[in-house]
Amino acid sequence: MKKLQTFTIYVLIIVGFFLVSTFLEGELIEQMYFQLSGDVSENFEYNGINTSLDVKILEAKATRMNGYITARVTNNTGMKIDKAYLKIDLFAKKDLEAISRYMEINDLEPGQTKDYKLKFRAGYVDTYKVAVKNDFPDEDYIFEIFGYEINTKSIFGLDLSNYIDAKAIKAAGFNGVTSVFSFFGKVGNRFVVIAKSVPWWGYVGALAIIAGII
C-alpha cells in the first residue's frame, strides 16, 4: 500500500509538472516579447534608376536581450533585382541607435514576393527604421559569433582586418569557435526533442519501475 501511495504521488507530480510547465512556458515567452514600432523607406536607386520596392513589416518583436523582424518584399519595379539589401536600424529609448543589420534581397523577379526574417541581439530596442540599399558596407569584414556581428575593421576601435579574415571564417561554413558550441547545442537539442517525444505515461512507467511497483 505504501508503494502504491508513493507511485500515485509520483504520477500526480509528473502530470502537474507537465501541465504547469507547458502553461508557464507559453505565457512567459509570449509576455517577454513586445511589439516594436517603426517605419519603412522604400525608395532607392537600382542600376542608376530611381525605383521602389513594396516592403511590409509582418512582425517586429523583441525582448530586453534579442528580437526578430520579418519583412515581406514585393518587386513591383518592372526589373529583376539581382542583389540588394534591407538595412534595418534598431534604436533604443530616446532614439539612441543600438545596431544596424542588413538582409540580402536576391533573385527577385518582377512581381515576385519573398519573406525575409532577421534575428538580432540587442538590449532595450523599441523602434526600427528600414531602408532598401544597393550595397552592404564592410560586408567582407563582418562575421557572426553568438548572434553578434563582429566587424574586423572596428574591434574595440582597432582595425584588425589584416589579421582576421572574416570572409574565410564565413566560407568555412561555421562562425569560428561557435562551431564547437553549436555542435554540443545540436546534440543537447536532440536529447531534448527525444525527451519531449516520450509520452507522460512513459515517465510514469519508469517511475513505477523505480518505485518497485512493476
Side-chain angles (χ1 to χ4, degrees), residues 2-168:
K2 187 175 181 180
K3 288 185 177 180
L4 182 59
Q5 290 177 344
T6 302
F7 174 70
T8 303
I9 291 173
Y10 284 159
V11 171
L12 292 176
I13 290 174
I14 290 176
V15 173
F17 172 77
F18 273 97
L19 291 176
V20 173
S21 62
T22 300
F23 173 78
L24 290 179
E25 181 180 12
E27 289 295 315
L28 287 174
I29 291 177
E30 185 64 27
Q31 291 178 12
M32 286 173 63
Y33 280 92
F34 55 89
Q35 296 284 348
L36 301 179
S37 60
D39 57 75
V40 179
S41 175
E42 300 175 8
N43 294 321
F44 79 114
E45 186 177 287
Y46 185 72
N47 288 339
I49 302 174
N50 289 322
T51 183
S52 65
L53 291 176
D54 182 13
V55 181
K56 294 181 179 179
I57 303 301
L58 302 181
E59 266 194 309
K61 292 185 177 182
T63 66
R64 291 309 180 193
M65 295 296 294
N66 51 47
Y68 64 90
I69 292 179
T70 304
R72 175 166 293 170
V73 181
T74 301
N75 182 3
N76 54 12
T77 66
M79 66 180 75
K80 181 180 178 181
I81 304 298
D82 294 312
K83 190 174 183 180
Y85 297 89
L86 288 182
K87 181 187 179 186
I88 300 177
D89 294 313
L90 300 167
F91 299 87
K93 292 183 177 179
K94 298 181 181 178
D95 291 331
L96 296 175
E97 185 171 356
I99 58 172
S100 293
R101 300 291 295 269
Y102 287 78
M103 285 194 296
E104 183 178 316
I105 303 169
N106 51 38
D107 298 326
L108 198 60
E109 299 288 346
Q112 186 178 13
T113 298
K114 288 185 180 181
D115 291 348
Y116 300 88
K117 186 172 184 177
L118 170 72
K119 295 182 179 180
F120 61 85
R121 290 180 181 259
Y124 296 92
V125 168
D126 58 10
T127 58
Y128 63 85
K129 291 183 180 179
V130 179
V132 182
K133 300 292 184 180
N134 271 302
D135 52 16
F136 178 2
D138 294 344
E139 180 179 10
D140 293 338
Y141 302 98
I142 292 175
F143 67 96
E144 187 175 300
I145 181 170
F146 298 124
Y148 295 95
E149 283 191 350
I150 306 298
N151 189 334
T152 59
K153 295 186 71 174
S154 180
I155 298 179
F156 301 112
L158 300 175
D159 185 351
L160 301 180
S161 57
N162 291 329
Y163 308 98
I164 303 175
D165 191 339
K167 291 180 66 176

